[in-house]
Amino acid sequence: MGNQTLFTTRAVVIKTQDFKENDKLVWFYTENMGKITAVVRGAKKSKSKFLSLTLPLCYGEYLMYKGKNLYTLQEGRILNSFQGLLDNLDKLTYSSYLCELVDIACSDEESNEYIFKDFVTTLYLLNTDALDYELLVRAFEIKLLRYTGYNINLDSCSVCGKKISTSNYINLSNYGGVCDECPKENGTYISKGGYNALRFLKNMHISKLYRLNLNSEIKNEIERVTTFLISNNYSKKPKSLEMLKYIKE
């Protein structure tokens, strides 16, 4: 290890890949440093202490150090394995989508405590049956867009800047609602119920979503908006979206 400095961070395993004969590359979304990639020696061995620590979705406290190109995992302890999410197809697909979304949206070693907190909170809530899975994911999408520079403005017209209480149109180029007087272009029509629900999801903490009960039409409207923004602003489209659509059919 040489003179490398050890550090501890909480993190979620968002992706893994086999590396050499017995090792793994593990992508962690960490509390302190954002997304990092670590090599985990011997993680593929059935008796390895790292086997359970590097399963997808595992949330733990990890001791590691930074090498020349990659981090190396030294120790760890599980805070929540979230392996219950793997036993339910809907939960598995939604949680896989969340991991893929974080991987796509976040740059390496760019920390954001808000993304980390909301990501972990969403996984905890998804692991229960307390909330609508779909609304949870929509809320996380909206907050992730905001934290990565694509905030949706729903309080003033995105064309002229005038304050608005609600709208029936969202300009997808300007990331916001449009007042009655401005032209409706480069966007999509949305019901006022959908617009207000979108604002609620944007402003309300994820843990408070139990207060919201939406019908399928409004949920579809919100999904249309978030899917467009995600597909058009990140480097690639999450593949899990297709599986999500399949589940709902």
Side-chain angles (χ1 to χ4, degrees):
M1 193 175 84
N3 297 318
Q4 304 292 355
T5 303
L6 285 164
F7 64 89
T8 302
T9 183
R10 290 187 293 176
V12 177
V13 175
I14 57 172
K15 187 170 69 173
T16 68
Q17 181 182 307
D18 289 348
F19 183 65
K20 298 184 178 176
E21 187 177 352
N22 294 310
D23 307 338
K24 274 186 191 176
L25 286 178
V26 180
W27 283 259
F28 292 99
Y29 192 76
T30 73
E31 182 175 28
N32 309 113
M33 292 160 300
K35 185 174 69 172
I36 62 172
T37 311
V39 61
V40 186
R41 310 289 181 196
K44 287 165 62 181
K45 293 180 179 178
S46 59
K47 294 183 180 178
S48 170
K49 64 180 181 179
F50 294 126
L51 185 64
S52 58
L53 283 164
T54 55
L55 291 171
L57 299 174
C58 185
Y59 171 47
E61 193 169 70
Y62 297 92
L63 179 70
M64 56 181 92
Y65 66 90
K66 187 175 184 181
K68 187 176 179 182
N69 298 310
L70 296 167
Y71 291 81
T72 297
L73 182 64
Q74 288 285 102
E75 298 284 345
R77 69 182 182 93
I78 295 172
L79 298 174
N80 194 322
S81 69
F82 290 120
Q83 295 308 292
L85 293 170
L86 307 181
D87 298 330
N88 176 298
L89 181 58
D90 283 21
K91 290 182 180 183
L92 170 61
T93 308
Y94 279 117
S95 54
S96 299
Y97 171 67
L98 292 173
C99 290
E100 190 181 4
L101 196 54
V102 167
D103 184 34
I104 288 169
C106 300
S107 302
D108 290 344
E109 297 188 38
E110 197 171 281
S111 66
N112 188 307
E113 62 177 304
Y114 300 110
I115 293 176
F116 182 80
K117 285 178 182 175
D118 282 350
F119 183 33
V120 173
T121 300
T122 303
L123 289 176
Y124 268 107
L125 291 171
L126 194 58
N127 205 28
T128 73
D129 293 311
L131 295 170
D132 184 317
Y133 308 154
E134 197 176 343
L135 281 185
L136 256 181
V137 171
R138 296 287 90 80
F140 182 76
E141 287 172 337
I142 292 164
K143 293 180 188 305
L144 185 65
L145 283 161
R146 174 184 174 186
Y147 299 145
T148 53
Y150 306 107
N151 191 30
I152 309 171
N153 176 17
L154 301 171
D155 297 317
S156 57
C157 176
S158 60
V159 178
C160 72
K162 184 176 75 175
K163 289 273 186 186
I164 52 176
S165 59
T166 189
S167 176
N168 67 344
Y169 195 85
I170 292 180
N171 184 306
L172 297 170
S173 301
N174 294 341
Y175 306 105
V178 179
C179 71
D180 292 339
E181 287 76 36
C182 284
K184 309 291 193 291
E185 54 192 18
N186 302 320
T188 182
Y189 280 95
I190 186 170
S191 69
K192 291 192 174 179
Y195 191 92
N196 295 335
L198 200 53
R199 177 186 276 148
F200 186 95
L201 290 174
K202 179 190 167 187
N203 295 331
M204 186 57 64
H205 190 270
I206 284 176
S207 63
K208 308 291 187 190
L209 290 181
Y210 63 86
R211 299 180 186 177
L212 196 59
N213 186 16
L214 302 179
N215 62 38
S216 57
E217 289 81 5
I218 287 180
K219 287 197 280 190
N220 288 338
E221 287 181 336
I222 293 169
E223 182 187 11
R224 193 169 72 243
V225 172
T226 59
T227 299
F228 179 91
L229 293 174
I230 287 164
S231 300
N232 283 270
N233 289 300
Y234 297 138
S235 57
K236 56 183 178 178
K237 185 179 178 182
K239 294 176 184 174
S240 317
L241 277 177
E242 302 308 315
M243 180 60 82
L244 284 179
K245 289 176 184 172
Y246 173 77
I247 284 176
K248 291 193 292 181
E249 284 175 0

